[in-house]
Amino acid sequence: MAQRLIAWIDQRFPLTSFIKRELTDYLTPRNLSYWWNFGFLAGFLLMLQIISGVFLAMHYKPDVNLAFDSVQHIMREVNYGWLIRYLHSTGASAFFVVVYIHMARTLYYGSYRAPRELMWWSGQVLLILLMASAFMGYLLPWGQMSYWGAQVITSLFGATPLIGDEIVLWLRGDFVVGDATLNRFFALHYLVPFFIVGMVIIHLVALHHVKSSNPSGINLADKDNIPFHPYFTAKDLFGLGVFLIIFCGFVFFAPEFFIEAANNIPANPLQTPPHIVPEWYFLPFYTILRAIPDTLGGVVAMGLSILIFAAMPFLDRSRIPGGARFRPFYRAMFYIFMVDVAVLAYVGSQPPGGLTFKIGVAATVIYFAAFLTLPFLSRWEERWLRARGLPPALQALLDSETEPKPRREAR
Amino acid sequence: MSLRMFICFISLLTAQAAWGEGALKDVEIDHSPAALRRGAATVTSVCLPCHSLKYLHYRDLLKLGFSPEEVTGLSMGNKPEAALLALMPPDIGEQTYGRVPPDLSLMAKAREGGPHYTYSLLTGFYQDKTGETNNHLYPSIRMPDILGWSSADAAQRAVLETQANEATAFLVWAADPRAAERKRLGYYTIAYLVLLTGLLYLIKRKVWARLG
């Protein structure tokens, strides 16, 4: 019966061949480490956020007089409303943790390099959509930090030359963040995730065309590729289990860890909180914004600090495979960059002040210097490595695999 | 860098985030059911004249182990479905204090330091040189020294400390009445996930063993 049903479907829809091509016959390098688990986790979190978000939207009221109360209604009266809301609020932070690790892995292993530029760029678009969605979602609880965060960030667009004020007015729908802003942010917060889903599909189609990168950085011979299913479904599901244990630890035992205390106070347009901080995932970029005294300059620098990742395939001019693994100077730079981002995040969480401001400026300079010196460093490093002879590990690897050739195309 | 090293690094960072809040009194809050009920009695008699706890209803107090008769006593003629509103109308509060006294439903998590803030505020009153009452944590606060802390002697303060502690415990409960349910469900969920993840690991091992 089941076979007949599948045969009936296959005649009308390529079900079996799709599963074969994309799962059971889809070749994946067998040496992928657990760092390659995070894309799958990001996909899981996208689903979790959409599902929990739909249920929250059934009880939430996007109205300045009702929004804060409706969140408390969800927390106190709705069956398991507290669970849905804490899954969603913790899920937002977890999403950024997972995506930032996913990006760091890509940078470390050089996965952004040819032929995976379009994967990297579609990922860049996903990051921006994720940030937009998170920013708009943060307004919805209508707490003090929600309100003032949105007030500050939307006012940044006022730095646009000539038409700044009009743009801010257009974004907010009012002269200050108000009911119009809350309503449109709710509508857009519901819409953007579907753009994300669409972009994820593009990301995955590109992935299945170029195949996964792997820790060695070179295309492995067929003998070292294994079907995605069952090997990586099993591995990814185990990784998901580990992730869920940590995630549920936060959801059930420290759900307010990612929620600012001030956001438990209803929004009050007449009272500015003593210290406005964005959510932790925006802190490095917030520091870059504040490091430049001029508002327009700060906004441009902040925008560039996010968009400059897209230039990585052009900035990295080394032809040595294997990402940071076989490249000592690139590796050092990677770790410096990671520490620098952590410093930027810390400075962003502090009130503006003399010394922290200077540290923020220095960290901003290092942030951009890392990108802008990369073309020279990567070229020089390649010459240095070739002059000394390639590392034995890399040479052995290159010898054991066949000549890197365009991967067998399934389609 | 191995994943294990990375996790150690992240846990160090999060441990660091727990710094700070120097001015607050770091006392252990007594969350026992009896303390919560005494705290509820204190809050409804001492705080509720001026402050509301509008997200709570009198019937919610049944969950603390009060009998229906005791809840009727605490509700001062209000219906069980009624919210815990301030006895003083908001406009009178505004006239008296210059602003409506804030709602206390979420107070235990609406300030940096959480319950320690509430406790430190209640026990932070003192009399300055001119004899005016002031507060260490919140200078020139408009709220009166409701427990009489600033004029109490050491023996009285021991009693007031307990009272402030219990009132704080009740406010923590009021800010998140589902916390106990949440933690109970959390233990089951984590236990289930540990078991599931262990099985998934075995499956992963078994599947990968085919590769040799």
Side-chain angles (χ1 to χ4, degrees):
Chain A
M1 179 60 202
Q3 272 177 350
R4 277 181 55 200
L5 180 67
I6 290 169
W8 187 90
I9 294 171
D10 276 338
Q11 228 173 7
R12 293 154 180 87
F13 181 86
L15 179 69
T16 308
S17 62
F18 181 83
I19 291 172
K20 227 166 127 68
R21 195 174 62 213
E22 308 301 345
L23 285 170
T24 53
D25 275 1
Y26 173 67
L27 288 180
T28 312
R30 67 183 287 179
N31 61 341
L32 297 190
S33 67
Y34 279 104
W35 291 115
W36 265 261
N37 200 184
F38 288 90
F40 172 76
L41 292 181
F44 171 82
L45 279 166
L46 176 61
M47 288 302 122
L48 179 74
Q49 291 303 84
I50 289 178
I51 294 167
S52 58
V54 166
F55 282 100
L56 286 176
M58 291 177 190
H59 303 284
Y60 172 77
K61 296 185 173 63
D63 179 312
V64 288
N65 294 316
L66 303 174
F68 193 89
D69 289 351
S70 73
V71 172
Q72 285 307 312
H73 170 71
I74 290 168
M75 293 296 291
R76 288 159 192 266
E77 315 291 337
V78 175
N79 272 340
Y80 292 100
W82 57 268
L83 178 59
I84 301 170
R85 191 218 168 189
Y86 280 149
L87 282 172
H88 200 73
S89 66
T90 314
S93 278
F95 211 153
F96 277 94
V97 170
V98 163
V99 162
Y100 284 159
I101 293 174
H102 189 59
M103 286 175 70
R105 189 272 289 160
T106 308
L107 288 172
Y108 184 89
Y109 288 103
S111 311
Y112 50 81
R113 295 200 279 187
R116 298 187 179 83
E117 297 97 324
L118 283 177
M119 289 215 63
W120 182 237
W121 293 334
S122 57
Q124 171 89 63
V125 175
L126 280 169
L127 176 67
I128 291 166
L129 289 173
L130 180 66
M131 287 177 156
S133 193
F135 166 66
M136 290 184 293
Y138 194 56
L139 182 68
L140 306 185
W142 203 247
Q144 272 288 67
M145 216 47 103
S146 301
Y147 179 87
W148 288 97
Q151 189 76 18
V152 169
I153 301 295
T154 48
S155 73
L156 293 178
F157 289 90
T160 317
L162 300 175
I163 50 164
D165 291 343
E166 283 77 5
I167 288 183
V168 175
L169 189 61
W170 179 73
L171 283 174
R172 290 178 182 161
D174 199 343
F175 293 101
V176 290
V177 171
D179 203 50
T181 326
L182 181 59
N183 266 291
R184 64 185 55 190
F185 274 31
F186 178 60
L188 293 173
H189 183 67
Y190 209 114
L191 171 68
V192 171
F194 298 101
F195 288 153
I196 295 181
V197 169
M199 208 61 205
V200 164
I201 292 171
I202 293 174
H203 199 64
L204 286 177
V205 169
L207 173 70
H208 282 227
H209 186 67
V210 296
K211 310 286 190 271
S212 285
S213 64
N214 69 78
S216 78
I218 58 173
N219 289 339
L220 300 182
D222 286 350
K223 69 176 170 58
D224 288 326
N225 283 287
I226 51 178
F228 188 85
H229 181 78
Y231 296 104
F232 284 100
T233 35
K235 193 168 180 172
D236 281 350
L237 283 176
F238 167 62
L240 176 66
V242 175
F243 164 80
L244 280 178
I245 291 172
I246 300 167
F247 179 70
C248 287
F250 278 103
V251 168
F252 289 101
F253 297 103
E256 300 273 330
F257 182 81
F258 294 111
I259 298 176
E260 287 286 330
N263 230 26
N264 286 311
I265 306 171
N268 181 355
L270 301 176
Q271 188 186 31
T272 318
H275 178 206
I276 302 174
V277 276
E279 286 286 78
W280 69 266
Y281 36 79
F282 292 134
L283 288 175
F285 311 108
Y286 186 56
T287 304
I288 291 172
L289 168 78
R290 292 197 298 182
I292 290 162
D294 173 59
T295 317
L296 180 59
V299 172
V300 169
M302 182 173 70
L304 277 180
S305 69
I306 299 167
L307 293 173
I308 200 164
F309 285 104
M312 277 305 287
F314 305 117
L315 296 177
D316 184 359
R317 295 163 68 82
S318 170
R319 280 161 295 183
I320 303 289
R325 200 166 164 203
F326 302 120
R327 298 167 59 188
F329 296 101
Y330 181 77
R331 186 166 64 235
M333 206 161 105
F334 172 83
Y335 285 125
I336 291 170
F337 185 74
M338 289 295 128
V339 172
D340 188 60
V341 170
V343 170
L344 283 169
Y346 173 76
V347 172
S349 71
Q350 298 302 306
L355 183 63
T356 41
F357 175 76
K358 280 177 196 145
I359 296 173
V361 172
T364 303
V365 171
I366 293 171
Y367 185 97
F368 285 106
F371 286 101
L372 297 177
T373 55
L374 186 58
F376 311 104
L377 179 120
S378 54
R379 260 298 159 78
W380 175 82
E381 182 187 53
E382 183 183 338
R383 280 201 301 276
W384 186 81
L385 282 171
R386 285 198 192 281
R388 293 172 82 243
L390 291 177
L394 176 57
Q395 199 62 59
L397 194 71
L398 284 166
D399 292 344
S400 78
E401 304 295 336
T402 49
E403 192 62 23
K405 57 168 193 246
R407 188 64 58 72
R408 207 164 44 122
E409 182 45 54
R411 262 159 278 196
Chain B
M1 183 154 65
S2 73
L3 197 58
R4 198 182 307 161
M5 265 177 68
F6 176 76
I7 289 167
C8 291
F9 176 68
I10 290 295
S11 27
L12 272 178
L13 277 184
T14 46
Q16 236 204 352
W19 275 0
E21 290 133 32
L24 299 176
K25 294 183 191 171
D26 191 12
V27 291
E28 185 113 5
I29 305 293
D30 177 8
H31 292 290
S32 67
L36 279 174
R37 284 196 292 272
R38 286 194 297 270
T42 303
V43 169
T44 47
S45 60
V46 176
C47 310
L48 210 56
C50 299
H51 293 277
S52 59
L53 283 92
K54 64 176 175 176
Y55 296 121
L56 279 190
H57 307 273
Y58 284 103
R59 62 172 148 74
D60 294 332
L61 298 176
L62 290 170
K63 291 177 204 149
L64 290 178
F66 282 118
S67 67
E69 293 74 36
E70 285 171 319
V71 170
T72 313
L74 290 170
S75 61
M76 293 162 285
N78 284 297
K79 285 186 185 145
E81 305 81 49
L84 272 70
L85 297 180
L87 306 182
M88 179 196 275
D91 49 333
I92 305 288
E94 195 164 7
Q95 277 172 29
T96 315
Y97 298 111
R99 59 174 284 206
V100 183
D103 185 81
L104 297 183
S105 310
L106 289 164
M107 189 50 78
K109 55 182 189 182
R111 298 287 183 276
E112 292 297 333
H116 300 309
Y117 179 93
T118 320
Y119 178 85
S120 309
L121 187 88
L122 286 171
T123 60
F125 285 97
Y126 67 97
Q127 276 171 356
D128 63 16
K129 288 174 199 138
T130 61
E132 292 285 308
T133 316
N134 207 335
N135 194 290
H136 289 298
L137 193 61
Y138 190 149
S140 49
I141 190 171
R142 277 163 283 193
M143 172 179 152
D145 178 8
I146 195 70
L147 294 181
W149 177 267
S150 58
S151 55
D153 60 32
Q156 290 168 321
R157 282 195 177 186
V159 177
L160 295 182
E161 269 172 8
T162 315
Q163 210 178 6
N165 195 317
E166 290 164 352
T168 301
F170 174 72
L171 290 178
V172 170
W173 175 83
D176 192 0
R178 304 298 193 120
E181 180 193 358
R182 188 183 75 228
K183 283 177 192 154
R184 201 170 53 244
L185 191 60
Y187 290 121
Y188 287 116
T189 310
I190 302 273
Y192 169 79
L193 282 172
V194 167
L195 192 69
L196 176 73
T197 307
L199 291 173
L200 284 170
Y201 180 68
L202 294 179
I203 291 173
K204 188 253 166 191
R205 280 262 304 255
K206 191 156 182 278
V207 166
W208 280 68
R210 290 183 213 162
L211 289 172

